[in-house]
Amino acid sequence: MQNFWDYDVWSMILLLGTLLGSLLVGNMIKKGIPFMKNSLIPTSVIGGVLLLIIAAIYKWITGAVMFDAAVFGGNGTNTLEIITYHTLALGFIASAFKTTGGKLTKKRTGEIIDTGMTTVSTYLIQAIFGLAITMIATLFISNFFVAAGVLLPFGYGQGTGQALNYGTIYETDFGFVGGKSFGLTIAALGFLSASIGGVIHLNIMKKRGKLVFSKRSDGSLHTDEISSDNEIPMQESIDKMTVQIALIIVAYVAAYFLMFALGNLLPGVRSVIFGFNFLLGVLTATLIKVLLNFLRKKNIVKKKYPNNFLMTRASNFFFDIMVVAGIAAIRLDILESYWGIILILGVVGAIVTYIYNRIVAKTLFADYAEEQFLTMYGMLTGTASTGIILLREVDNDFKTPASDNLVYQNFPAIILGFPMMFLATLAPVKPVLTLIIFIVFFLVLNVFLFRSKIFKKRKKK
């Protein structure tokens, strides 16, 4: 018999309440302390770090893991990892349901493809330096996991969810003890690199007179930003937000059955397939969106169901939960012997990401180099929302194409970056070969990326 006062009934609510409560406290810290307000550190990161500190104090006093207490069901750390895993996919699915208007010109299409290639090239340069560092580390640290550095592009370039996914694969399939916490810690350092590095860059450029900061908007919205023509009403027999959540969950359930089928067909790579939950979620969401558009054209469905404003709110909610849960799930005690390597990876990752994206922005996006650089650096050390936070400091009204580049680049980035996700599982087995492939892939991709400059010089000669 189930008693309603048992922890089994309340543990999930108590855990979610803790995560959401930390976000509220983090927001108060963000708004109330001038230094934090100007730091551009996302509230979700502040909330996650706050829980991490409280958990460390709890561990020091009691010797036990706070989130594994009975009040959180006895296995709250694992639940935090599950929440991080699912919210990554749910956030991407919500974003995939959004529609974009207007046709792209040839020039803009080229800039979007170049942005996608920049994204993947940054993943590769992060992977090259990361893998090289941990390969060298194995010469000095016995039994150190040689491919740990490959988590750098997943933590910096792709964020908390993918850092957890591949940390889990390395831990369960290749025996990397602490792999999940290692990946999550790299992702947390990425947010700090984005925020601190971004602020330093903004202040330097401001002192040199090369940047003009945008005036912050009052946050008000126009009616057309909330709802467009021919959409379902906000409230009827079913609430409009309920419809958005239903579409997201249905798409994710469809993605699960797709992953389940692929996992049965290819049992040897089942863990990798389920690590692509966000990618297959985007695929099923896109198919549902195409189906709904087809039914509307045939006049079978009369109204438009997905709403951009509400889908943006939903994706932001899921990503906020993902970040705070991911940071809270870090087990600092497991990483005792790894801190030196983690810090080296974090610093080197920030430097190479900064330098490479600075070169690309100034060379290929000269008309809006600063806006493009800030957007890409923020995204490739944190998440897309971090890139937008940095961009708003200099382009609050999104007058440059930088924000559109960030949205549209996902498709070419997914296609070009797909092989790298499989290479990440080769790295623990054949690290030297993987490093060589990463380098060759990076060089080939950059020939295409800088094609206009390379072949222009040859024509002149």
Side-chain angles (χ1 to χ4, degrees):
M1 181 179 175
Q2 185 70 63
N3 296 315
F4 289 132
W5 54 84
D6 288 343
Y7 287 140
D8 291 344
V9 176
W10 287 94
S11 58
M12 178 59 76
I13 296 297
L14 293 171
L15 186 60
L16 288 172
T18 302
L19 295 178
L20 293 168
S22 72
L23 282 172
L24 293 175
V25 175
N27 190 56
M28 286 189 285
I29 293 171
K30 175 80 173 174
K31 300 295 183 184
I33 302 174
F35 167 74
M36 297 301 295
K37 189 174 183 178
N38 297 325
S39 69
L40 304 183
I41 298 174
T43 298
S44 55
V45 174
I46 298 172
V49 171
L50 193 64
L51 289 179
L52 194 61
I53 293 169
I54 294 170
I57 295 170
Y58 183 91
K59 174 78 174 177
W60 179 66
I61 294 172
T62 66
V65 178
M66 185 178 81
F67 287 108
D68 288 345
V71 69
F72 295 122
N75 197 18
T77 303
N78 186 58
T79 306
L80 287 172
E81 292 167 357
I82 292 170
I83 290 170
T84 304
Y85 171 78
H86 287 310
T87 47
L88 168 71
L90 292 168
F92 269 99
I93 289 169
S95 297
F97 271 114
K98 294 192 292 184
T99 56
T100 51
K103 292 185 177 180
L104 298 174
T105 64
K106 184 178 179 181
K107 180 177 183 292
R108 288 291 300 119
T109 302
E111 288 175 341
I112 288 161
I113 292 172
D114 287 347
T115 303
M117 283 195 281
T118 304
T119 298
V120 179
S121 290
T122 306
Y123 294 163
L124 289 166
I125 199 169
Q126 288 170 343
I128 290 165
F129 277 88
L131 183 55
I133 288 168
T134 50
M135 285 173 67
I136 294 169
T138 57
L139 302 175
F140 303 96
I141 305 172
S142 59
N143 299 321
F144 183 69
F145 187 68
V146 67
V150 180
L151 291 173
L152 181 60
F154 293 111
Y156 269 43
Q158 297 192 14
T160 309
Q162 276 297 80
L164 173 67
N165 284 355
Y166 275 86
T168 303
I169 290 170
Y170 283 170
E171 190 167 315
T172 55
D173 294 358
F174 298 100
F176 178 22
V177 178
K180 290 181 282 191
S181 287
F182 194 99
L184 291 171
T185 306
I186 292 292
L189 286 178
F191 282 106
L192 295 178
S193 298
S195 306
I196 296 170
V199 170
I200 291 171
H201 174 81
L202 286 166
N203 288 331
I204 290 172
M205 292 295 106
K206 186 179 180 182
K207 285 180 180 179
R208 291 179 181 177
K210 294 185 178 181
L211 274 183
V212 177
F213 281 61
S214 295
K215 291 182 179 178
R216 295 182 184 271
S217 66
D218 59 4
S220 60
L221 294 166
H222 299 290
T223 305
D224 58 351
E225 294 178 276
I226 298 174
S227 184
S228 59
D229 293 336
N230 205 34
E231 286 189 0
I232 58 173
M234 192 63 73
Q235 286 183 323
E236 204 177 36
S237 56
I238 185 171
D239 192 89
K240 197 170 187 175
M241 188 66 198
T242 307
V243 173
Q244 312 308 303
I245 298 299
L247 288 170
I248 293 166
I249 299 300
V250 167
Y252 197 29
V253 170
Y256 166 76
F257 285 114
L258 180 57
M259 289 185 289
F260 182 81
L262 291 172
N264 286 335
L265 287 172
L266 303 166
V269 290
R270 182 179 279 119
S271 59
V272 177
I273 290 168
F274 275 86
F276 289 157
N277 64 328
F278 74 101
L279 184 58
L280 292 171
V282 168
L283 175 62
T284 53
T286 303
L287 291 174
I288 290 172
K289 188 167 70 172
V290 169
L291 175 62
L292 288 173
N293 288 337
F294 173 77
L295 294 174
R296 280 185 64 213
K297 285 181 181 178
K298 296 295 182 181
N299 209 31
I300 297 171
V301 173
K302 309 295 182 183
K303 297 284 186 178
K304 183 181 173 185
Y305 280 76
N307 173 267
N308 281 5
F309 175 77
L310 294 178
M311 285 297 183
T312 300
R313 304 283 71 77
S315 66
N316 288 348
F317 168 76
F318 289 128
F319 286 143
D320 281 339
I321 295 295
M322 178 192 76
V323 172
V324 71
I327 295 175
I330 295 171
R331 290 282 303 276
L332 296 176
D333 55 307
I334 294 177
L335 300 173
E336 281 181 298
S337 57
Y338 297 154
W339 281 112
I341 299 298
I342 288 172
L343 291 174
I344 291 170
L345 285 170
V347 171
V348 172
I351 292 170
V352 298
T353 304
Y354 181 96
I355 293 172
Y356 179 72
N357 279 277
R358 192 88 182 118
I359 292 169
V360 172
K362 293 176 78 172
T363 306
L364 301 179
F365 301 88
D367 293 340
Y368 50 99
E370 287 297 335
E371 291 84 357
Q372 179 74 6
F373 165 73
L374 286 167
T375 305
M376 296 302 289
Y377 175 75
M379 180 185 71
L380 291 166
T381 49
T383 61
S385 60
T386 321
I388 293 296
I389 288 170
L390 290 176
L391 176 62
R392 281 186 181 277
E393 294 297 309
V394 296
D395 184 17
N396 192 52
D397 296 324
F398 300 139
K399 293 178 180 178
T400 66
S403 60
D404 285 341
N405 291 348
L406 191 66
V407 175
Y408 287 113
Q409 63 86 32
N410 282 302
F411 184 68
I414 287 171
I415 294 173
L416 294 170
F418 195 73
M420 185 183 165
M421 294 181 177
F422 283 102
L423 286 172
T425 58
L426 177 66
V429 183
K430 296 185 177 180
V432 176
L433 176 61
T434 306
L435 182 61
I436 292 169
I437 295 172
F438 280 152
I439 293 169
V440 172
F441 193 5
F442 175 77
L443 293 174
V444 170
L445 202 57
N446 276 267
V447 169
F448 283 98
L449 181 60
F450 291 98
R451 62 197 178 279
S452 59
K453 304 297 178 184
I454 294 170
F455 297 111
K456 189 177 180 182
K457 288 180 181 179
R458 286 188 175 182
K459 283 181 180 179
K460 283 184 178 180
K461 287 181 180 180

